[in-house]
């Protein structure tokens, strides 16, 4: 549900915003949205670190007492992080005008809207602590449900704000209200209802204990920034280094669908990663190998199938989506969407690493990823624009995540790692190629470029792909295929 709402926020609302606000104001809003998302990624790894700690408490006889004490201590750390982040943002807003830095001097209310979104979303960081506890206790669906309601209501409020006022500040207030409201409900109402043993009063902690928590969380903080923050930071870099407002919108919109594909992969991986983390904790090696091999294969197959469809019809969809107001860049789309599909196995490996407390491995690989991105971006964005940002992101992913993180975990986890890798990437290539071929067949069967033509083409594509994969619907064939996956 939350993935669909994220799709609504980034894709369904874009034509509406574009029609009422124009591409200049749309570019401004997408830049502000990226800045707010970057602030939400500023959690210094405490989310993933506390998740691992809460999981470790489940094997203890006094799990509730340990959880209560630890929660109260870390809550104070989260409050401190929020206070520090708000102070830093406030000082930067006083010293620098975002409209001048990001090139939106002619956009009324940009500075105030920027401040509302960044400062407002900074106050929502403590909900990550609640989210980690819900996830560790198998109740993560509850957080997702409440978050979906908050996001959905915020989107309705954004539409009303655009329709009635066309004011950037009103859109920002509507967006932040949904996020802050969701966080407040989780922290002050829902959390106590599901975990009555908790105390919402922060517990004083020692400096030694505080240092230990931040030291343990640091690798996960680097991972969080590399995985989420860099994607949104690239929007701000393109905004600052590229003068063409249409090119900025082009970059943000294309990155949106690639990010959507990445989020889908991450969401598919989460429940499997939780089981893998449990098997790793209890030392169930054989079960771990089998589940890792099957989970990796299924997630990669699913993302490859979606990628084939996206690459087949992205141009037609993009032109209808933007009503031709923003130029389409085929190379940019292939680099971003194809690159996201290519690193799917690494995204799955990252999820497993997060649940198995591989902090050192995450630290080194993610640090390398960040260094590669900034090293390439400094040269490529000024010369190639959005394409340079895409090449920088994809290259950093491929070298650090796929070349190191995925490879090491595959060798450490599976007995037949090389055979599995050959099968995995061969399957990925075959599925994407089949999807592209079926896309050409669909366009040949239903020529045309209108909305109805696109819907019919997609219908033909889905019918054809369903026919191709229909043998997997037979349990006998499916089970034989699963058993044959090397592990």
């Amino acid at each position: 549900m939350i993935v669909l709402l994220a799709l609504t926020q980034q894709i369904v609302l874009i034509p509406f915003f574009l029609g009422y606000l124009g591409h200049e104001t749309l570019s401004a809003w997408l830049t502000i949205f990226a800045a707010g998302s970057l602030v939400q990624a500023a959690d210094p790894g405490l989310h993933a670190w506390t998740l691992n700690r809460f999981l470790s408490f489940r094997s203890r006889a006094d799990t509730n007492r340990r959880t209560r004490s630890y929660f109260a201590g870390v809550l104070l750390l989260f409050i401190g992080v929020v206070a520090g982040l708000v102070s830093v943002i406030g000082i930067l807003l006083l010293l620098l005008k975002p409209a001048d830095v990001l090139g939106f001097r002619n956009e009324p209310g940009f500075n105030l809207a920027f401040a509302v979104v960044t400062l407002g979303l900074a106050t929502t960081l403590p909900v990550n602590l609640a989210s980690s506890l819900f996830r560790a206790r198998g109740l993560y669906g509850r957080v997702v449900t409440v978050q979906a309601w908050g996001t959905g209501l915020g989107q309705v409020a954004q539409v009303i704000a655009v329709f009635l006022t066309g004011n950037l500040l009103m859109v920002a207030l509507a967006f932040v209200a949904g996020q802050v409201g969701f966080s407040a409900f989780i922290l002050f109402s829902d959390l106590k209802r599901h975990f009555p043993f908790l105390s919402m009063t922060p517990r004083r902690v020692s400096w030694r204990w505080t240092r230990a928590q931040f030291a343990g969380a640091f690798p996960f903080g680097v991972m969080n920034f590399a995985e989420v923050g860099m994607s949104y930071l690239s929007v701000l870099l393109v905004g600052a280094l590229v003068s063409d407002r249409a090119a900025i919108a082009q970059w943000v919109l294309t990155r949106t669908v690639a990010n959507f594909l990445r989020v889908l992969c991450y969401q598919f991986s989460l429940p499997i990663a939780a089981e893998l983390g449990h098997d790793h904790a209890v030392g169930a090696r054989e079960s771990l190998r089998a589940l890792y091999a099957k989970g990796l294969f299924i997630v990669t197959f699913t993302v490859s199938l979606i990628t084939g469809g996206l690459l087949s019809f992205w141009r037609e969809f993009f032109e209808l989506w933007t009503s031709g107001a923003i130029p389409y860049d085929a190379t940019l789309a292939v680099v971003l969407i194809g690159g996201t599909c290519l690193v799917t196995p690494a995204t799955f490996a990252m999820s497993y690493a997060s649940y198995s407390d591989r902090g050192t491995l995450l630290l080194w690989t993610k640090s390398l990823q960040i260094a590669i991105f900034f090293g390439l971006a400094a040269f490529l964005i000024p010369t190639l624009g959005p394409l340079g940002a895409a090449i920088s992101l994809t290259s950093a992913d491929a070298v650090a995540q796929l070349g190191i993180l995925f490879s090491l975990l595959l060798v450490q986890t599976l007995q037949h790692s090389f055979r599995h890798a050959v099968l995995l990437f061969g399957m990925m290539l075959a599925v994407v190629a089949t999807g592209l071929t079926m896309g050409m067949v669909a366009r040949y069967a239903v020529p045309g470029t209108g909305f109805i033509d696109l819907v019919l083409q997609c219908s033909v594509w889905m019918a054809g792909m369903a026919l191709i994969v229909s043998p997997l619907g037979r349990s006998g064939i499916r089970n034989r295929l699963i058993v044959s996956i090397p592990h």
Side-chain angles (χ1 to χ4, degrees):
M1 173 61 78
I2 197 61
V3 175
L4 292 176
L5 284 169
L7 183 64
T8 303
Q9 174 71 46
Q10 290 291 300
I11 293 181
V12 178
L13 293 184
I14 292 299
F16 178 79
F17 285 4
L18 189 60
Y20 278 88
L21 302 178
H23 77 268
E24 290 277 350
T25 304
L26 175 63
S27 297
W29 167 243
L30 292 175
T31 302
I32 291 172
F33 181 86
S37 300
L38 183 61
V39 169
Q40 288 184 308
D43 172 359
L46 287 174
H47 183 194
W49 171 250
T50 54
L51 171 60
N52 279 278
R53 298 301 297 155
F54 287 139
L55 284 171
S56 69
F57 294 155
R58 292 184 62 180
S59 61
R60 308 291 183 88
D62 55 348
T63 176
N64 286 348
R65 184 188 65 80
R66 288 177 177 271
T67 300
R68 179 176 64 250
S69 176
Y70 187 77
F71 183 95
V74 178
L75 180 60
L76 182 63
L77 302 188
F78 268 97
I79 293 173
V81 168
V82 170
L85 190 58
V86 168
S87 299
V88 170
I89 294 174
I91 293 171
L92 290 176
L93 290 174
L94 290 175
L95 296 177
L96 303 170
K97 292 184 178 181
D100 294 337
V101 175
L102 299 172
F104 291 99
R105 299 176 185 85
N106 298 324
E107 191 61 45
F110 183 88
N111 290 332
L112 187 54
F114 190 95
V116 166
V117 171
T118 52
L119 292 172
L121 293 186
T123 65
T124 67
L125 284 181
V127 80
N128 288 345
L129 176 59
S131 175
S132 64
L133 180 56
F134 274 98
R135 184 178 293 180
R137 294 297 183 94
L139 296 172
Y140 187 57
R142 177 61 185 173
V143 176
V144 172
T145 300
V146 176
Q147 185 178 11
W149 276 102
T151 302
L153 292 174
Q155 289 174 359
V156 172
Q158 288 174 61
V159 170
I160 295 173
V162 170
F163 183 74
L164 294 181
T165 70
N167 187 288
L168 190 62
L169 177 59
M170 291 294 101
V171 176
L173 287 170
F175 171 67
V176 170
Q179 299 294 313
V180 172
F182 141 73
S183 301
F185 177 79
I186 287 291
L187 286 170
F188 301 115
S189 177
D190 217 39
L191 192 63
K192 195 66 176 178
R193 183 183 307 154
H194 288 87
F195 306 104
F197 58 85
L198 288 180
S199 171
M200 293 304 295
T201 303
R203 176 177 64 87
R204 293 184 62 182
V205 294
S206 67
W207 283 110
R208 181 179 179 182
W209 187 87
T210 300
R211 286 195 302 270
Q213 303 313 304
F214 280 112
F218 180 70
F220 298 104
V222 175
M223 178 202 73
N224 193 44
F225 177 76
E227 191 64 20
V228 181
M230 271 198 326
S231 179
Y232 292 108
L233 183 61
S234 66
V235 177
L236 302 183
L237 287 175
V238 171
L241 299 175
V242 177
S243 59
D244 186 355
R245 302 295 98 185
I248 295 173
Q250 178 193 75
W251 160 251
V252 176
L253 297 179
T254 308
R255 186 206 58 82
T256 293
V257 73
N259 196 49
F260 168 69
L261 190 63
R262 195 183 197 96
V263 170
L264 274 180
C265 175
Y266 186 66
Q267 292 296 327
F268 291 152
S269 303
L270 276 180
I272 304 173
E275 292 296 325
L276 290 171
H278 176 267
D279 289 346
H280 174 80
V282 301
R285 297 296 302 171
E286 190 59 35
S287 173
L288 175 65
R289 291 191 188 99
L291 181 59
Y292 190 90
K294 290 186 290 186
L296 179 58
F297 189 89
I298 292 171
V299 170
T300 303
F301 174 84
T302 304
V303 174
S304 300
L305 188 64
I306 297 172
T307 300
L310 285 174
L311 289 176
S312 294
F313 303 109
W314 177 243
R315 181 186 191 118
E316 291 81 359
F317 177 80
F318 187 91
E319 291 173 349
L320 288 172
W321 188 28
T322 62
S323 301
I326 299 172
Y328 173 77
D329 189 326
T331 306
L332 178 64
V334 170
V335 171
L336 276 177
I337 299 174
T340 301
C341 178
L342 179 65
V343 299
T344 294
T347 304
F348 183 90
M350 184 199 66
S351 299
Y352 168 52
S354 299
Y355 277 83
S356 56
D357 203 11
R358 307 290 183 97
T360 302
L361 178 60
L362 286 172
L363 175 61
W364 286 108
T365 54
K366 291 300 180 178
S367 298
L368 177 62
Q369 183 182 350
I370 294 171
I372 292 173
F373 168 74
F374 280 110
L376 292 176
F379 295 99
L380 296 181
I381 293 179
T383 56
L384 299 178
L387 180 59
I391 294 173
S392 301
L393 281 174
T394 302
S395 299
D397 270 345
V399 174
Q401 288 221 104
L402 199 61
I404 299 178
L405 179 63
F406 165 73
S407 300
L408 284 177
L409 286 180
L410 193 70
V411 171
Q412 292 176 2
T413 306
L414 303 186
Q415 290 180 327
H416 306 287
S417 55
F418 181 76
R419 287 170 51 195
H420 185 90
V422 171
L423 175 65
L424 190 71
F425 287 102
M427 178 272 295
M428 181 190 296
L429 180 62
V431 171
V432 173
T434 302
L436 291 173
T437 302
M438 185 55 62
M440 290 188 288
V441 171
R443 282 191 295 273
Y444 178 80
V446 185
T449 57
F451 176 75
I452 300 299
D453 296 316
L454 178 59
V455 171
L456 292 175
Q457 289 169 1
C458 292
S459 300
V460 171
W461 185 89
M462 287 189 288
M465 294 303 293
L467 184 63
I468 292 172
V469 302
S470 59
L472 297 178
R474 299 180 181 180
S475 59
I477 296 177
R478 188 171 62 251
N479 291 336
R480 285 197 298 272
L481 177 63
I482 291 175
V483 170
S484 68
I485 297 174
H487 64 274

